[in-house]
Amino acid sequence: MLRSLVGSEMCIRDRYQRRVRGGSSSAMSIFGFGSPCTIDIEFKDQEARKKIQVTNEKNATTSLCLFCDGPGECETVAGSIALNLAKGKKIEHVGIRVELIGQIELFYDRGNHFEFTSLMRELAPPGILKESEVFPFEFPNQEKLHESYNGINVRLRYFVKFTIARQYSSNIVKEQDFWVQKITQEPDMNNSIKMEVGIEDCLHIEFEYNKTKYHLKDVVVGKIYFLLVRIKIKHMELAIIRRESTGSGPNLYNESETITKFEIMDGAPVRGESIPIRLFLNGFDLSPTYKAVHNKFSVKYYLNLVLVDEEDRRYFKQQEVHLWRKSQ
């Protein structure tokens, strides 16, 4: 008898909980919770426009439309925003707007984003949306100050932001990112690099690179001369290092990552020997050099020459090089 009572009680409780859950769902419907619409932002010529694959901090890859600005040429950012209203819904609002925003996000200070570009267009005055609608937008010949960047501790992003402002409810907001590349003119001055380094009475080398400034599809050409060799060198390698600096003062963060490295010599060199260098930059994940962008971050590149002796001691010399984007 006791078992049957317990079973009946559990059955009644289960039916009651299902009724409560169903009631809360109905309450959500009655009080209008949930999104009353879906929004899709599409750029003009989106299907034909070149795409860039970008990996975010959660290691998810997204495909973004590419916009390119060159000297004296700025691409128009235009498109349309399709608002699909849910059946039986309406939206009272105090205005609808679209914005083009350029923003720097420091990952250690996520609450304080720095906007270096902010443009707004009003799409509709206050009123009531009773049916689905498409809103065209255009920001003609708009200069993008910097190239997009997705780094370890910082992100420089551009996006279109659509907002339905509401008085008694939270605003309805939709963002769509796009990627920007900046074409720059070839530098007027581009001297070669020539330096002598070494350890007194042990090792003396001279290295030479043909330029200080390289475009992203360039070829690094150089030579290593051994003027004095009194230690047993096992091999020599050359690496490209990217150094990202963010923030300032107590919030200064420096992150270095090796983009690529390869062996340029295997075995012990002798005095007077010359080792050629030929490194193709095309194909590596490189960005242009960024210098103190709004005093928020910098990105620098270095050629790192490393010699390893038979006791696995490493001798290295870094040389900064400037990278820039050339017209394709």
Side-chain angles (χ1 to χ4, degrees), residues 193-199 203-209 223-224 236-241 243 264 277 301-308 313-321:
I193 303 169
K194 191 172 184 179
M195 294 186 66
E196 293 185 11
V197 295
I199 305 167
L203 178 68
H204 191 189
I205 64 173
E206 180 181 273
F207 66 86
E208 182 177 349
Y209 301 121
K223 288 183 179 180
I224 309 294
M236 180 166 58
E237 60 189 32
L238 183 67
I240 300 175
I241 293 177
R243 185 166 298 153
I264 57 177
I277 294 173
Y301 289 89
Y302 296 85
L303 295 175
N304 190 40
L305 182 67
V306 181
L307 289 85
V308 182
R313 290 177 297 196
R314 301 170 70 86
Y315 311 90
F316 66 91
K317 177 62 179 179
Q318 288 187 357
Q319 175 62 47
E320 183 180 358
V321 291

Side-chain angles (χ1 to χ4, degrees), residues 66-297:
L66 174 64
F67 290 79
C68 291
D69 281 7
E73 297 180 5
C74 300
E75 273 205 87
T76 293
V77 179
S80 60
I81 302 165
L83 184 146
N84 298 302
L85 206 59
K87 187 176 180 180
K89 296 284 188 177
K90 65 179 181 179
I91 303 174
E92 295 186 27
H93 63 88
V94 293
I96 300 175
R97 64 180 182 267
V98 63
E99 297 166 87
L100 189 154
I101 296 175
Q103 183 172 277
I104 296 173
E105 300 177 1
L106 299 172
F107 296 157
Y108 66 82
D109 191 14
R110 295 177 183 272
N112 296 311
H113 301 325
F114 176 78
E115 292 184 2
F116 57 86
T117 294
S118 182
L119 301 167
M120 186 184 72
R121 301 280 188 272
E122 294 288 350
L123 298 178
I128 301 175
L129 285 171
K130 297 181 179 179
E131 58 185 6
S132 299
E133 194 168 342
V134 176
F135 300 93
F137 67 90
E138 183 178 46
F139 296 92
N141 303 319
Q142 179 56 46
E143 182 184 7
K144 297 93 179 158
L145 296 176
H146 312 287
E147 180 156 327
S148 298
Y149 178 72
N150 193 27
I152 298 173
N153 288 322
V154 63
R155 176 168 66 157
L156 191 153
R157 63 186 284 242
Y158 290 88
F159 58 98
V160 170
K161 181 179 180 181
F162 175 75
T163 304
I164 302 175
R166 299 194 287 182
Q167 190 167 6
Y168 301 112
S169 302
S170 58
N171 293 345
I172 298 173
V173 178
K174 175 75 173 183
E175 296 179 355
Q176 179 59 55
D177 284 68
F178 60 95
W179 196 263
V180 171
Q181 290 182 349
K182 297 276 289 181
I183 308 300
T184 54
Q185 292 178 334
E186 187 167 349
D188 294 331
M189 298 287 292
N190 200 352
N191 298 324
S192 61
I193 303 169
K194 191 172 184 179
M195 294 186 66
E196 293 185 11
V197 295
I199 305 167
E200 188 175 358
D201 296 330
C202 292
L203 178 68
H204 191 189
I205 64 173
E206 180 181 273
F207 66 86
E208 182 177 349
Y209 301 121
N210 61 330
K211 300 177 185 177
T212 54
K213 301 172 183 178
Y214 295 90
H215 62 78
L216 298 181
K217 295 187 177 182
D218 216 334
V219 181
V220 178
V221 177
K223 288 183 179 180
I224 309 294
Y225 301 95
F226 287 89
L227 305 176
L228 177 65
V229 183
R230 288 181 179 168
I231 55 177
K232 293 181 179 180
I233 301 296
K234 186 166 61 174
H235 68 266
M236 180 166 58
E237 60 189 32
L238 183 67
I240 300 175
I241 293 177
R242 174 164 52 213
R243 185 166 298 153
E244 177 187 289
S245 300
T246 56
S248 60
N251 292 323
L252 178 63
Y253 296 89
N254 290 305
E255 295 283 353
S256 294
E257 59 178 324
T258 301
I259 304 300
T260 185
K261 66 178 179 179
F262 73 103
E263 193 173 90
I264 57 177
M265 185 195 71
D266 184 19
V270 296
R271 180 178 177 179
E273 189 169 357
S274 173
I275 307 296
I277 294 173
R278 195 170 184 85
L279 173 60
F280 292 84
L281 299 181
N282 189 22
F284 297 123
D285 181 22
L286 301 173
S287 71
T289 296
Y290 296 79
K291 289 191 175 181
V293 181
H294 296 285
N295 293 322
K296 298 294 182 181
F297 77 98

